[in-house]
Amino acid sequence: MSAKLILEVRHVSKSFGGIKAINDVSFNLRQGQILGVIGPNGSGKTTLNNLITGFIKKDAGQIIFKGLDISKWPAYKIADAGLARTFQIMRPYPTLPVYKNLVPPLYSPRARRTARGKLGDRGAVAIDILEEVGFERDARVPYKLAGTLPLGYLKRLELCRCLALRPELIVCDEIFSGLSMSEIASMIPLMERLQDEGITLIMVEHRIKELFKLANKVLVLNFGEKIAEGDSSDIFNDEKVKRAYFGGETTYVFK
Amino acid sequence: MQERRRERLDRGVKVRSDTIYAVSSAKEILFLVGPGLALVTVLLILPLILPPYWQKVLTIAGVYALLAVSFGFLANFVGLVNLGGAMFVGVGGYISGVLNSTLGLPPLLTIPIASVTGALLCTLLLLPCLPLRGVYFAVVSFIYPLATVMIISATGVWGGTDGIAGLNVLPNVWVNQYVIILVVLACMFALTRLVNHADIGLVFRGVKDNELAIRASALNVTWYKAQAVFISAAMGCFGGAYLTHLYGWVGMSLFAMDFSILPLAATVVGGTSTIYGPLVGAFLLVPISESLRSFGTLRIVFYSVVMVFCVVFWTEGIMNYLRRRYEQFERWVRV
């Protein structure tokens, strides 16, 4: 646990009208860790993602990334600082080949900066990135039209869009959902490799079993509040979590 | 009862010319470059064979084609529906007119200066509404030329309602025609390269198709929208400056709604999602409108009917239809 702190979320809140989507959530994340975020439907997981990555403006609190207060930054600037994200709903350019989908992120100032002026042809770089993530060049997958890809590849394409920025932290929004067991099984080594490369990951998931295998730390949300934080085994035995998430006898009452 | 359905298949030559082998046969090279060559040839020969009246129509059609292409670029490839195209025309026209009348600069200088500075000015003016999307941007951009006309007539600047007359005109009818045709062709070529082959073209298309992904790709959406508006505005301002020196006069009519609406009509008729569609649409609509001149303002009704027909019954437009027939063949098959 000696790695340096990369992300600090301090007392963040967000309401939509009268609904508190996120209420006073705080947590810290060290470099190279994988944080799993779980919670029932509507518990604020995606809102938390959007707040961290700047796609939604928060009402209160602070978000510190690498010592910088990014609370008020626009989304593109946060991505530029190295905090990338995937989207739950993937919308690639369906009429373009897969590798051309990666040209916009490679066009960004961050991609140019991290390549130190040696980016070369963006299409070629894109194909290299795609191949690392399992788009086999020999099977000509990177050249297929993005609209013809199955879901598993689309999820990987989302991840590739992040990797093209050479990020330090990736927020993955339900990257396993909708995938078959074998597809997930092939994604897990990929996530582990990203961790080995020093990339910090926040993974919002419904697939608890796979997530708990990967995550160093798990955060549980319910009704926008953090109800537990700790490593996988602690969370499994936490009474509050059992009640809220895994289903208990008690019915919960609104405060 | 036998059910039949129509089947569309790519022509063999289309399939072959999709790959690198296209360069292996003259037929396939012709298939690829033929339509473009035909367009260029027709546009270059037209001024030589047309009677004098229709030569004038051709120059006006060229201006409208430029505006239509500029509108189509923003609408089809960046997702900004700009209903204030007349703003570009007016700003370009007034800048070149004022430069010509006060400083005495020749058209050769005022037209390029007006294109660049006018485009900068228009981009700055539109900057506050660039975060808007869809119909909101359309409505706000529509207000700009209307408001500018009011300001000019109320304050009486730049000749007020009379405009500025007695400006230098372009030397002769041949220069008139070939300048606009060559500029239109150059813009077509550059824009086709831009949206189909350049990396920034993919960013523009991303802004239209998936703005969230562009923001998540560490790209500032407003900055790229501003660049696209600058490109589009430069074409519009050129059109305005050119008209000013065509007539030797600049006035409020440069902010007329025609310049905003006809490009839209041309894009709808010519076919969306292509660069060439608006050009073809403009070169069809303007001559048709000219030949209906005896009906006076009833022409507007004709336009509206054509537009409604295209929107309702023929959404693909001329260019997409032609391209489909060129690349594919149809046949009836039994189900």
Side-chain angles (χ1 to χ4, degrees):
Chain A
M1 278 299 190
S2 57
K4 69 174 196 290
L5 222 51
I6 191 162
L7 185 76
E8 287 174 70
V9 174
R10 292 180 191 160
H11 308 292
V12 166
S13 298
K14 174 75 191 177
S15 315
F16 296 111
I19 300 163
K20 283 228 168 227
I22 288 288
N23 190 11
D24 197 25
V25 170
S26 308
F27 64 89
N28 291 334
L29 196 56
R30 289 180 187 281
Q31 193 179 8
Q33 276 190 320
I34 296 182
L35 172 75
V37 179
I38 61 169
N41 284 329
S43 58
K45 304 184 298 293
T46 298
T47 307
L48 183 64
N49 270 355
N50 286 335
L51 288 172
I52 293 172
T53 50
F55 279 80
I56 296 179
K57 293 285 155 246
K58 58 181 179 29
D59 297 338
Q62 269 187 315
I63 297 166
I64 315 286
F65 176 63
K66 291 193 298 178
L68 296 167
D69 185 356
I70 59 167
S71 308
K72 293 197 171 63
W73 290 13
Y76 79 89
K77 211 173 154 196
I78 292 176
D80 191 62
L83 204 168
R85 69 165 298 176
T86 71
F87 285 98
Q88 205 173 338
I89 300 160
M90 300 133 299
R91 277 196 297 159
Y93 310 132
T95 55
L96 286 180
V98 174
Y99 74 94
K100 292 229 174 189
N101 277 264
L102 292 189
V103 168
L106 288 171
Y107 195 79
S108 67
R110 178 176 174 87
R112 284 185 236 189
R113 215 165 47 230
T114 47
R116 289 190 195 81
K118 287 183 289 187
L119 194 56
D121 179 54
R122 294 196 176 84
V125 178
I127 290 171
D128 289 342
I129 295 171
L130 285 164
E131 190 150 47
E132 274 177 41
V133 178
F135 287 78
E136 299 86 2
R137 193 191 311 234
D138 295 341
R140 303 192 61 79
V141 192
Y143 305 100
K144 285 188 179 147
L145 295 186
T148 65
L149 288 181
L151 188 67
Y153 275 117
L154 287 179
K155 295 266 180 187
R156 283 161 195 253
L157 182 58
E158 274 290 299
L159 197 60
C160 285
R161 195 172 41 67
C162 296
L163 293 179
L165 296 174
R166 298 185 187 226
E168 289 166 61
L169 195 160
I170 306 178
V171 182
C172 303
D173 201 349
E174 304 206 4
I175 204 161
F176 290 160
S177 65
L179 299 190
S180 69
M181 293 308 287
S182 64
E183 280 173 323
I184 294 177
S186 70
M187 291 281 277
I188 286 176
L190 179 66
M191 308 312 271
E192 284 170 345
R193 204 179 69 220
L194 292 181
Q195 190 183 19
D196 288 344
E197 286 169 11
I199 297 176
T200 317
L201 293 167
I202 296 180
M203 299 184 66
V204 169
E205 278 307 331
H206 275 302
R207 306 293 288 250
I208 306 219
K209 204 173 127 200
E210 290 80 10
L211 183 66
F212 278 23
K213 260 186 228 159
L214 277 170
N216 306 103
K217 190 160 108 169
V218 177
L219 185 85
V220 189
L221 290 176
N222 195 22
F223 293 115
E225 289 184 26
K226 182 172 89 173
I227 58 170
E229 186 184 356
D231 63 32
S232 321
S233 55
D234 293 343
I235 296 293
F236 254 127
N237 300 321
D238 190 292
E239 276 307 314
K240 264 165 134 182
V241 177
K242 274 187 192 167
R243 258 207 319 275
Y245 199 84
F246 303 111
E249 296 92 331
T250 339
T251 50
Y252 25 73
V253 180
F254 286 94
K255 281 182 204 165
Chain B
M1 204 174 84
Q2 274 190 335
E3 297 268 344
R4 295 197 308 158
R5 88 187 152 82
R6 201 151 52 168
E7 185 181 59
R8 278 182 198 146
L9 291 171
D10 279 356
R11 291 180 199 279
V13 63
K14 155 79 178 148
V15 178
R16 288 195 303 278
S17 53
D18 267 350
T19 64
I20 186 75
Y21 303 110
V23 288
S24 66
S25 110
K27 195 179 164 196
E28 275 131 47
I29 293 174
L30 191 66
F31 177 83
L32 285 177
V33 301
L37 271 184
L39 182 81
V40 173
T41 321
V42 167
L43 281 181
L44 287 181
I45 288 179
L46 269 182
L48 301 174
I49 56 170
L50 285 177
Y53 174 74
W54 287 98
Q55 288 182 340
K56 280 182 193 144
V57 176
L58 181 72
T59 46
I60 300 302
V63 173
Y64 276 113
L66 194 63
L67 298 179
V69 169
S70 121
F71 171 88
F73 165 65
L74 269 193
N76 295 330
F77 297 98
V78 197
L80 293 171
V81 178
N82 172 27
L83 290 184
M87 186 67 188
F88 300 161
V89 179
V91 167
Y94 267 96
I95 288 179
S96 65
V98 169
L99 284 179
N100 186 240
S101 66
T102 56
L103 301 179
L105 296 179
L108 199 65
L109 279 177
T110 58
I111 292 179
I113 293 174
S115 307
V116 176
T117 54
L120 268 177
L121 185 65
C122 290
T123 312
L124 284 178
L125 287 173
L126 283 173
L127 209 52
C129 29
L130 287 186
L132 300 176
R133 267 187 297 174
V135 72
Y136 300 101
F137 180 81
V139 168
V140 177
S141 63
F142 189 65
I143 300 298
Y144 275 88
L146 303 181
T148 317
V149 166
M150 290 302 159
I151 291 170
I152 292 176
S153 68
T155 59
V157 289
W158 305 312
T161 45
D162 296 332
I164 308 168
L167 302 174
N168 293 3
V169 289
L170 293 167
N172 62 47
V173 66
W174 300 109
V175 173
N176 285 349
Q177 293 178 77
Y178 278 106
V179 162
I180 191 73
I181 283 175
L182 289 177
V183 167
V184 166
L185 287 175
C187 287
M188 300 294 304
F189 181 73
L191 284 183
T192 312
R193 292 287 308 173
L194 183 76
V195 298
N196 289 334
H197 303 288
D199 290 344
I200 192 170
L202 288 172
V203 177
F204 286 153
R205 289 164 75 170
V207 169
K208 185 195 176 209
D209 295 341
N210 193 351
E211 199 181 304
L212 285 182
I214 292 295
R215 283 159 70 194
S217 303
L219 293 163
N220 183 349
V221 171
T222 308
W223 167 238
Y224 289 98
K225 278 183 179 171
Q227 290 187 28
V229 167
F230 178 83
I231 294 172
S232 176
M235 291 161 69
C237 289
F238 176 89
Y242 172 82
L243 280 177
T244 297
H245 292 293
L246 188 69
Y247 297 135
W249 175 81
V250 61
M252 284 174 8
S253 64
L254 284 184
F255 287 100
M257 220 187 285
D258 288 22
F259 293 119
S260 304
I261 300 304
L262 196 132
L264 170 74
T267 306
V268 170
V269 173
T272 51
S273 75
T274 61
I275 284 282
Y276 286 81
L279 175 94
V280 173
F283 274 114
L284 276 181
L285 284 182
V286 174
I288 292 175
S289 151
E290 266 321 303
S291 50
L292 293 174
R293 190 164 272 280
S294 49
F295 293 100
T297 43
L298 270 180
R299 286 184 298 161
I300 303 293
V301 178
F302 163 77
Y303 269 137
S304 316
V305 170
V306 169
M307 246 181 85
V308 169
F309 177 82
C310 285
V311 167
V312 177
F313 297 108
W314 206 32
T315 41
E316 63 178 353
I318 295 166
M319 209 53 210
N320 290 324
Y321 172 79
L322 289 179
R323 166 180 273 177
R324 186 157 59 72
R325 296 311 294 254
Y326 188 68
E327 291 180 346
Q328 299 179 317
F329 62 89
E330 291 179 352
R331 66 182 180 196
W332 289 94
V333 288
R334 289 206 189 117
V335 178

